[in-house]
Amino acid sequence: MYATMFFLNLMEANGIPTERVNDKILDIGGKFAILIKRCKPLPIEWIRRYYAAGSIVRLFPTFVTEGQKFEPPLNKYDAKIDVSLTGGIDDPTMNESYITGLHLMTKEQFDQADAMLSKIGDILNDVYLKAGIKLIDLKMEFGILNDKVILIDELSQDCMRANDIKTGETLTKDAYRQWKTPKEVLKTYETFLERMCPNYKELVIKL
């Protein structure tokens, strides 16, 4: 949650509208929360890839090699549908024609979201490089509020891949995918947070 609020504040400062109401984490009797706005979520996961990792390597082995840099970065759109309803296909990939043709959003809204995805990724990429971190890819979700697209996803170690530039060690969600112990995963997440936001505890207000 500390990482999410830090990054949401960063997004707002760079002109990305988000669903958060204020710039602090609420401490309500020891339980932490972020106050957000009610909006219409879009049933799409928006993915931006800077380097090849995960499913893109498995799906396109003749086109892609592990660690390959994408210039320019790639944007991808997956439908958020329960796998039991899709014949075993997890998060089937869509394109702009499907998204707008099925009236999930207008062409203008799609363009807004796609531009926001690119801008969010590039903002994070610049910040990470200064901290000695390589951004591999990230997943975002958007919603509609008053006919405008806003960011409604968390921004944390769980929605992106990022590695230490020098060692290549993961600093995000791949820590538990590599079968590290809970203690090791927690240490990895804490290391990432300390490098990105040394004063993260100041983001909390007690009620």
Side-chain angles (χ1 to χ4, degrees), residues 2 29 41 43 59 81 121 154 202:
Y2 293 111
L59 292 172
I81 302 177
E154 67 171 351
E202 296 176 5

Side-chain angles (χ1 to χ4, degrees), residues 59-182:
L59 292 172
F60 305 107
T62 59
F63 305 137
V64 179
T65 56
E66 184 79 30
Q68 174 182 336
K69 184 176 183 179
F70 298 124
E71 295 181 307
L74 308 181
N75 288 357
K76 180 172 178 276
Y77 324 103
D78 290 347
K80 289 177 61 66
I81 302 177
D82 190 294
V83 69
S84 65
L85 302 176
T86 60
I89 300 175
D90 187 26
D91 296 336
T93 297
M94 306 184 79
N95 58 32
E96 177 185 348
S97 178
Y98 276 42
I99 293 169
T100 58
L102 294 173
H103 306 293
L104 301 179
M105 58 196 310
T106 67
K107 175 66 165 62
E108 181 181 6
Q109 290 170 339
F110 176 88
D111 290 343
Q112 289 176 4
D114 202 45
M116 286 170 60
L117 173 67
S118 299
K119 185 174 181 179
I120 289 167
D122 293 348
I123 291 169
L124 292 178
N125 195 39
D126 289 344
V127 171
Y128 284 7
L129 287 175
K130 294 175 183 176
I133 297 172
K134 177 192 290 187
L135 177 61
I136 307 299
D137 56 36
L138 73 155
K139 181 275 299 180
M140 291 285 94
E141 295 181 28
F142 298 100
I144 305 296
L145 179 66
N146 299 326
D147 294 324
K148 293 185 178 181
V149 178
I150 65 170
L151 174 64
I152 65 170
D153 206 356
E154 67 171 351
L155 276 154
S156 73
Q157 298 94 321
D158 288 333
C159 67
M160 61 186 75
R161 288 187 180 92
N163 299 341
D164 184 282
I165 288 179
K166 292 183 179 180
T167 67
E169 183 178 0
T170 182
L171 296 173
T172 55
K173 63 181 182 180
D174 276 349
Y176 58 80
R177 289 178 171 173
Q178 295 171 0
W179 296 99
K180 291 189 176 184
T181 66

Side-chain angles (χ1 to χ4, degrees), residues 12-24:
E12 289 278 9
N14 282 275
I16 301 293
T18 77
E19 65 178 344
R20 69 142 171 91
V21 173
N22 56 41
D23 60 356
K24 295 291 183 180

